[in-house]
Amino acid sequence: MDFDTVLSRYRKRRSRKSAESTVDRYVRHIRNWRDWLTDARGKQIWDAESIDLLIFIEELTDEDMAATTISQRVSAISKFYQDMEKIAEMDGDMPDVPENPYDGLDDEDKSLLRGDTKKKKAQQKTNGDEYPYLEPEKIAKLVENVPAPRLRNELLIKLLFNCGFRRGELAKTKIENVDREDRSIFIPPRKSPEWRTVAYNEDYLGFQLDQWLDFGGRDSMTYADESEYLFPTNDSEHISGAYISQMIKETARKAGLQEVIAEYSDGRKQHKVTAHTLRHSFAMQAINSGIDVKTLQTLLGHEELDTTLIYLDQAKDEAKESSRAFRPEV
């Protein structure tokens, strides 16, 4: 039984218990879960284990998705496996349904769904920002320290900062998504339910983009001719989100901007400067440039306004602290 047929059965069963809008959201979450499993873990939906779901939750947490939104996604996933098990009992054509990945999470794992993370606790102890970001001058320092190939990596950093990309969105951006006449980039729905279009600043990154597309930068990559993506590599049709993350972490270290702000229970370290830090930096710079929070929600592709409002609250907190420098004496 193929995935679309299974999903149709899931939709039908859920429709007996939930409103149509809720069922649509659940189905979208299951599609995203299936795509993530394939892209990030090389697994099919029937091969999922608790460790896969935990890594999925951690990634969403690291990307600063609201805990309530993550909980909704996990709830949809858990209900999917519950429903599939019941359907399998009645239908011998169903694939073997694995144990519900949610059932294998322990209390510490589930604490992530409440927003109770070591990352936030570490930041509170050090009086750090909930969402670390870099000011434009520090972004410029990153650009100065990129490894080879310099042109590509400069462009990657500038696009992340200028457009607020998630790393996976940028990795899978296609040439046809870039409108150089309009100076904008179309971002298809992946982790967001809707597409969005974000303008880029020609003066800021136009030179690198032109050099990459028109003067041999992209064409120097082995897979350029057979790839529809903006960033092919010598090994594949498009660059990976993992490479983008690693490149930025190493660049930040070389630029003297990197630090470890927390550590997971399995020993993995949480770094201050990551690909997602540049997305935060875009958001804070947008607020400081006067872009209203509702527009910023659209530009970031946030499902919940509350997620975007955190940036506004952080900017207000920083403004309050800056006001302490005011001296009324003449």
Side-chain angles (χ1 to χ4, degrees), residues 189-232:
R190 277 178 58 77
K191 290 197 173 177
S192 304
E194 309 231 352
W195 60 268
R196 64 194 195 274
T197 301
V198 181
Y200 63 83
N201 186 300
E202 174 73 16
D203 292 338
Y204 180 63
L205 59 79
F207 174 78
Q208 283 87 357
L209 184 61
D210 289 345
Q211 291 291 312
W212 179 250
L213 289 176
D214 299 330
F215 295 95
R218 183 181 181 279
D219 289 341
S220 68
M221 298 290 116
T222 302
Y223 277 81
D225 288 343
E226 57 191 87
S227 173
E228 60 184 338
Y229 295 97
L230 180 59
F231 292 106

Side-chain angles (χ1 to χ4, degrees), residues 111-162:
S111 71
L112 292 171
L113 302 177
R114 301 191 297 270
D116 181 18
T117 67
K118 290 185 177 181
K119 176 181 174 183
K120 288 186 178 179
K121 289 178 180 177
Q123 288 161 352
Q124 289 166 358
K125 286 180 182 177
T126 59
N127 296 318
D129 295 324
E130 183 173 344
Y131 287 175
Y133 71 96
L134 300 177
E135 296 83 1
E137 58 270 22
K138 291 182 179 176
I139 299 289
K141 197 169 182 182
L142 270 186
V143 172
E144 290 172 4
N145 285 277
V146 295
R150 287 194 58 86
L151 174 62
R152 183 191 69 189
N153 291 335
E154 285 179 10
L155 183 56
L156 284 168
I157 288 176
K158 288 193 171 190
L159 282 169
L160 286 165
F161 176 54
N162 192 164

Side-chain angles (χ1 to χ4, degrees), residues 81-112:
Y81 288 103
Q82 290 172 10
D83 286 357
M84 290 302 100
E85 185 174 4
K86 290 175 182 176
I87 292 172
E89 291 174 359
M90 300 180 288
D91 187 344
D93 291 336
M94 281 287 293
D96 290 336
V97 179
E99 291 186 14
N100 188 338
Y102 180 79
D103 292 341
L105 300 182
D106 61 26
D107 290 342
E108 183 179 348
D109 300 333
K110 292 175 183 176
S111 71
L112 292 171

Side-chain angles (χ1 to χ4, degrees), residues 31-51:
R31 287 192 181 278
N32 287 340
W33 167 240
R34 192 275 302 264
D35 292 345
W36 179 86
L37 279 170
T38 301
D39 292 345
R41 304 288 287 167
K43 291 185 173 184
Q44 299 301 312
I45 201 163
W46 306 117
D47 302 323
E49 301 174 275
S50 296
I51 186 61

